[in-house]
Amino acid sequence: MNEFGGSYVHEARSAVHSGEGPQYNFYLQAAASRLREQASRRPLVIAQADREHLHRRFVPPPRLQQARQLLRNSCTVLIDGLPGSGRRTAALILLHELSDTAGSFHELPDTSDDRTASPLDVRDINRGDRLLLDLSEVEESRYLGIQEAFSDFRSHLVGQGAHLVVVLPHHLGYLLRGDLRHLTVDMGRPSAKRVFVRHLRQENILPPAAELGGPELAAHLARAPLRDVADLADRIRRCRDGAGADQGFPHWLSDSLAGAADHTARVAADISAEQNGRRKALLLSLAMFHGTAPGKVLHAANSLLTVLGHPPDTTPRLEHSDLHAELSEIGAETLPDGRVQFRIQGYDQAVRNHFWTYLPDIRRQLRDWFSTCRMQTGAEPSEHSEAVARFAEQVLRSNRPEDLTWLAKQWTLHTARADLLPDASQVLALGLADDQHGRFFRQQIYDWSMDTATTHGLRRVLVLVCSEAMARSHPDQALVRLHHLARRTSGSVGMAARQAVLDLARTDNRLYRRMLDRLSTGITQGQWDADFDLFLTLADPVRLIRSHSVSGSLVLGWTGILSRPVAYWTTPTVYWLNACRDIRHRDAALDILVAASATDVRTSGRLYRVALDWVRADAGDTARREQTVSDLLLKINAAQGIEPYKHAV
C-alpha cells in the first residue's frame, strides 16, 4: 500500500503549504494566469453561456434539419463531414437546441481512463443528459471497439431519456458499420461568407455589401477553414477597437487580411536565393522571436548555427556587418522601442511554415534549439508566451506533438528552474486545445499521472494544466488525472492535487457523484490511503444524500472509514452528527452511518460511543443532540434486528 501522511481537512479555501521543498508560488501563479488567459481565447463551449455565444454566431449547414429530426426521433445522430467544415460546432448546436432537462450537458471521454472492458461506460449516462462524443481523431482500434459497444450504450441512453451526438472520424469512414449508417448525416459546409457576416454583426460591425465583395476576401473565405473565418472576423474587431471607428471597415479588413495573407511563395523564393547560412539562421530566429530585442535574435541565431553543426566563422568580428545591417538585409525593421520585426505583416508566419514544411530533416534539432534558447536567455514573460505559441503551432501542424511533451519534461527536470513552469504548462495546454492532437495529450497526461517515475516538477505542472485547462473542456478526464496525481504525489504538490480534484468535484453534481464512486471503490480495494482522506473531505451529509447512487457510494466509503482506528474518523463523524441536528437531513445521514457500521457489532458500538461523547461535549444544544443520538440508537438496533421494547397495555 502507498502510504499517505496527512490530516483530515474538511475544506480549504486557499493554497496549502505542507512545509516541503522550495517555494514556487510566484511562478505557479504566473503559470495559472497564462493558462486562464489562453483558455479565455478558446472558451468552453459546453457551458450554457458559451453555447449561447456560439449559437448567436451559428449559420446552419446543409442537412442540419435532417440531423435534428434523427436526434429527436432516435436520441442519437452521427455527424460526418470534411475536417474544417464545422462538424463539432454543428454537434454542439444540435444538443443545445434540445429543451433543458434535469440532466447535464457534457462531453464523453475520448480516452479509456481506468476502463478495461467497454470503451463506453453506461455510468456516464444520467437521466435527461445531452452528450457529445467527438471521435474525429480516434484511432482505428478504438473506433471499432466503440462501435461494438454502441448498441448496448444506446439502449441505456434511450432508457434514460438522454440524447447523444457523435462526431465521426472522416478519415475512417470505410470502417463505419452498416447497422449504424441509418443514424448518420453527412453534414455540409455552411457558406463561409454568411459565417463571416454573422460574426461581424454580433460585434456590431455592419459593412455594406459592396465592401464585402472584394476578390481578396472572396479568395480567403473560399480556402479557409471555418475557424479561420471566425478568426478573421475577430481580427477585424480588434482592429476596430484598437484603431478607432474613424478609419472604417475597408481599413480594418485590409489590415486583417494582410495578417492572414499567404506569403509562402515569396518566402520560398527569398530563402532559395539566400545561400548564407547565418542569414537563414537570422531569418528563422527573428520569425520565432518576432518583436523582441536584437540581442535576443542574435543569440538565437548563433545557437541555431551551433545546434545544426555549422563551423565557426573565423573572420574577425569587425570585418562583418553589424546586426542592424544584417537584420535590414533580411527585411527587418527596428521599432521606436528598440524591438525588431519583419517589415511585411505575416512574413514571420510564412518563414516558420517554410522551415518546418521544407526542412523536415532538422525538426528534431529545431526542437532542441528552441529548448536551449528558452533555458539560456531571459525575456519578458509575454515574449516567452508568444514564442512558445509559435513553436507549438509549428510542431502540431507538422504532426510532431511529442516535441511538446518532450519540452514539458525537459523544462520540469530541475527544481531550480521554476521560471520554466509557465512555459511547460503552456505547451501542454496548447496541445490539449488542438483539435487534431488534443486526445494525444490527454492520453499522455493520463499515462504520466499513473507513472510513479513522473518527476515532482512535471507533477506540479500537470496539476495546473488539468485544473486550469483540461477541466474547461474535458472535466471528467481532468478529474481522473487529478485523482491519480493526488494518490501518487506527496508533499505540497500532492496537497495541491488533492485540493484541485476536490474543487473540481464540487463544481457539478455529476462530477461529485463520479468522484464519490471512484473514492468508495478505491477505499473498498484498500490500495490508496489518499482515497480515505479525500472521501472524508468530499463526502457531504447534505448534498444529494437521498440520491440512490450517492447514498450507495457513501455507505461503501464509510464502511471502509469505520474499519480504521476510531481516532481517525471521530472528527468527520462529529461533522456529520452536527448536520443531523437539522431534522431535514437527520434520517438520511444517520442511515448512511448505520448502514456502514451494520456489518460489525463492535463498529456500531464505537460509532454510538462517539455520538455519546458528542452529546456531552456541548451543553448548548442538548435537546437536538440527544434526539439525534436516540434516533441513531434506534437505527442501530433495527439494523441488528433488535425491536424496540414496548410496554404491555
Side-chain angles (χ1 to χ4, degrees):
M1 179 182 291
N2 288 288
E3 293 300 322
F4 166 75
S7 57
Y8 170 77
V9 181
H10 180 255
E11 190 166 1
R13 293 295 185 184
S14 60
V16 181
H17 170 48
S18 70
E20 176 248 12
Q23 296 301 289
Y24 299 105
N25 284 344
F26 174 79
Y27 292 109
L28 289 174
Q29 290 171 5
S33 176
R34 190 183 297 185
L35 293 183
R36 283 192 288 268
E37 180 184 356
Q38 179 178 307
S40 68
R41 299 173 190 154
R42 180 188 169 89
L44 171 59
V45 289
I46 299 295
Q48 173 76 18
D50 295 316
R51 283 187 276 119
E52 290 173 352
H53 174 91
L54 186 68
H55 188 258
R56 289 192 295 270
R57 289 157 176 79
F58 180 69
V59 173
R63 293 178 288 281
L64 182 71
Q65 185 56 37
Q66 179 186 349
R68 283 188 183 121
Q69 201 63 39
L70 260 177
L71 182 61
R72 294 182 187 278
N73 294 341
S74 305
C75 296
T76 306
V77 65
L78 315 181
I79 301 297
D80 197 6
L82 292 171
S85 62
R87 295 169 297 168
R88 180 180 169 89
T89 298
L92 287 165
I93 294 300
L94 285 168
L95 291 168
H96 175 72
E97 289 176 339
L98 296 173
S99 59
D100 286 338
T101 61
S104 64
F105 192 122
H106 65 276
E107 183 166 356
L108 294 174
D110 58 356
T111 52
S112 297
D113 296 6
D114 301 349
R115 297 171 184 173
T116 57
S118 172
L120 292 173
D121 192 341
V122 297
R123 291 177 298 176
D124 289 329
I125 306 173
N126 296 294
R127 177 154 295 281
D129 278 355
R130 290 173 285 173
L131 307 173
L132 172 67
L133 178 59
D134 190 343
L135 302 178
S136 55
E137 298 301 329
V138 74
E139 75 277 3
E140 289 188 13
S141 59
R142 179 166 172 80
Y143 186 41
L144 292 171
I146 286 174
Q147 291 185 75
E148 287 291 333
F150 195 75
S151 178
D152 180 60
F153 187 82
R154 186 164 170 257
S155 66
H156 282 81
L157 186 87
V158 173
Q160 292 280 17
H163 292 81
L164 171 68
V165 179
V166 182
V167 180
L168 295 176
H170 186 72
H171 62 292
L172 299 180
Y174 62 94
L175 292 178
L176 182 65
R177 287 172 33 160
D179 59 335
L180 296 177
R181 293 191 183 278
H182 72 287
L183 296 172
T184 303
V185 174
D186 189 2
M187 196 74 73
R189 171 185 162 102
S191 164
K193 186 173 183 179
R194 289 185 62 200
V195 172
F196 178 62
V197 171
R198 179 69 62 87
H199 277 75
L200 291 177
R201 286 178 177 170
Q202 289 301 315
E203 302 298 340
N204 201 28
I205 299 174
L206 308 171
E211 294 180 356
L212 295 169
E216 191 177 0
L217 175 60
H220 179 79
L221 295 178
R223 67 174 182 268
L226 291 181
R227 70 178 70 89
D228 291 350
V229 173
D231 286 344
L232 177 62
D234 190 57
R235 281 198 296 272
I236 290 172
R237 176 193 61 80
R238 293 198 301 269
C239 282
R240 178 200 63 184
D241 295 345
D246 55 322
Q247 292 187 338
F249 180 78
H251 177 82
W252 308 333
L253 177 62
S254 176
D255 274 6
S256 300
L257 284 174
D262 187 358
H263 297 292
T264 300
R266 178 170 187 163
V267 166
D270 290 348
I271 292 178
S272 296
E274 181 58 73
Q275 299 301 315
N276 187 299
R278 178 177 172 82
R279 287 184 184 173
K280 291 180 180 179
L282 280 172
L283 268 172
L284 180 57
S285 298
L286 179 55
M288 186 58 66
F289 300 100
H290 203 240
T292 61
K296 171 79 174 180
V297 177
L298 175 62
H299 186 282
N302 290 336
S303 178
L304 179 58
L305 292 171
T306 300
V307 168
L308 293 175
H310 275 247
D313 188 348
T314 58
T315 306
R317 178 66 185 93
L318 293 181
E319 294 183 14
H320 285 289
S321 301
D322 65 18
L323 186 54
H324 181 274
E326 288 185 296
L327 290 171
S328 296
E329 288 171 357
I330 63 170
E333 62 180 357
T334 303
L335 301 176
D337 62 2
R339 294 178 295 114
V340 289
Q341 64 180 26
F342 287 112
R343 296 187 190 97
I344 300 173
Q345 189 176 3
Y347 193 86
D348 60 311
Q349 176 75 60
V351 170
R352 295 192 296 271
N353 290 350
H354 182 92
F355 273 84
W356 261 270
T357 300
Y358 297 111
L359 291 168
D361 51 319
I362 66 167
R363 287 173 180 166
R364 182 182 61 79
Q365 290 95 320
L366 292 179
R367 177 203 69 185
D368 297 345
W369 163 68
F370 185 74
S371 178
T372 300
C373 288
R374 174 59 191 95
M375 295 183 73
Q376 292 183 352
T377 60
E380 293 296 322
S382 61
E383 294 177 356
H384 292 161
S385 177
E386 290 166 2
V388 167
R390 293 178 190 125
F391 179 82
E393 178 188 24
Q394 292 304 316
V395 299
L396 293 170
R397 187 180 64 83
S398 55
N399 294 316
R400 289 180 60 90
E402 65 277 5
D403 284 349
L404 296 186
T405 56
W406 183 87
L407 284 178
K409 292 182 70 174
Q410 288 296 116
W411 290 344
T412 55
L413 279 177
H414 308 292
T415 56
R417 293 302 307 272
D419 60 304
L420 296 172
L421 293 179
D423 295 334
S425 303
Q426 185 184 358
V427 294
L428 294 180
L430 288 168
L432 288 169
D434 186 73
D435 291 336
Q436 182 177 356
H437 298 293
R439 184 176 179 274
F440 169 87
F441 287 90
R442 287 188 289 277
Q443 186 63 56
Q444 180 61 75
I445 291 173
Y446 176 78
D447 294 341
W448 278 335
S449 72
M450 295 278 287
D451 189 352
T452 56
T454 300
T455 64
H456 207 62
L458 183 54
R459 289 175 185 275
R460 190 183 298 273
V461 164
L462 296 181
V463 172
L464 270 177
V465 170
C466 288
S467 57
E468 296 288 351
M470 192 188 299
R472 289 179 58 84
S473 57
H474 295 80
D476 296 75
Q477 289 161 293
L479 188 84
V480 170
R481 285 147 186 77
L482 287 169
H483 187 195
H484 285 303
L485 288 166
R487 283 171 162 175
R488 293 167 171 83
T489 311
S490 59
S492 60
V493 180
M495 186 81 74
R498 290 188 281 279
Q499 189 61 50
V501 74
L502 291 169
D503 287 345
L504 180 56
R506 291 184 179 119
T507 60
D508 178 86
N509 284 339
R510 181 179 59 82
L511 295 177
Y512 175 73
R513 284 193 296 265
R514 182 168 188 186
M515 190 62 190
L516 281 179
D517 178 64
R518 289 181 61 83
L519 291 172
S520 61
T521 301
I523 289 172
T524 301
Q525 295 170 348
Q527 185 178 2
W528 303 101
D529 278 3
D531 283 348
F532 290 81
D533 282 12
L534 286 168
F535 176 86
L536 287 177
T537 309
L538 182 64
D540 193 311
V542 175
R543 185 174 185 175
L544 299 179
I545 197 167
R546 298 185 188 279
S547 163
H548 176 72
S549 60
V550 169
S551 62
S553 296
L554 290 172
V555 170
L556 275 178
W558 269 108
T559 299
I561 296 294
L562 295 176
S563 68
R564 292 194 150 197
V566 175
Y568 178 76
W569 49 264
T570 296
T571 299
T573 301
V574 166
Y575 175 76
W576 274 56
L577 291 172
N578 283 331
C580 292
R581 291 180 300 175
D582 188 331
I583 195 170
R584 295 172 299 173
H585 313 308
R586 183 180 300 162
D587 273 351
L590 292 180
D591 284 344
I592 298 295
L593 295 175
V594 170
S597 66
T599 56
D600 186 345
V601 174
R602 292 170 299 179
T603 301
S604 297
R606 296 186 191 105
L607 175 64
Y608 183 61
R609 284 195 294 274
V610 167
L612 289 175
D613 291 340
W614 169 69
V615 171
R616 302 185 190 106
D618 187 350
D621 193 21
T622 305
R624 285 192 295 178
R625 287 175 179 249
E626 288 179 346
Q627 186 58 55
T628 298
V629 173
S630 175
D631 290 350
L632 173 65
L633 181 59
L634 288 174
K635 290 177 182 293
I636 289 174
N637 288 339
Q640 295 175 1
I642 302 173
E643 294 294 330
Y645 177 76
K646 295 180 180 179
H647 293 281
V649 178

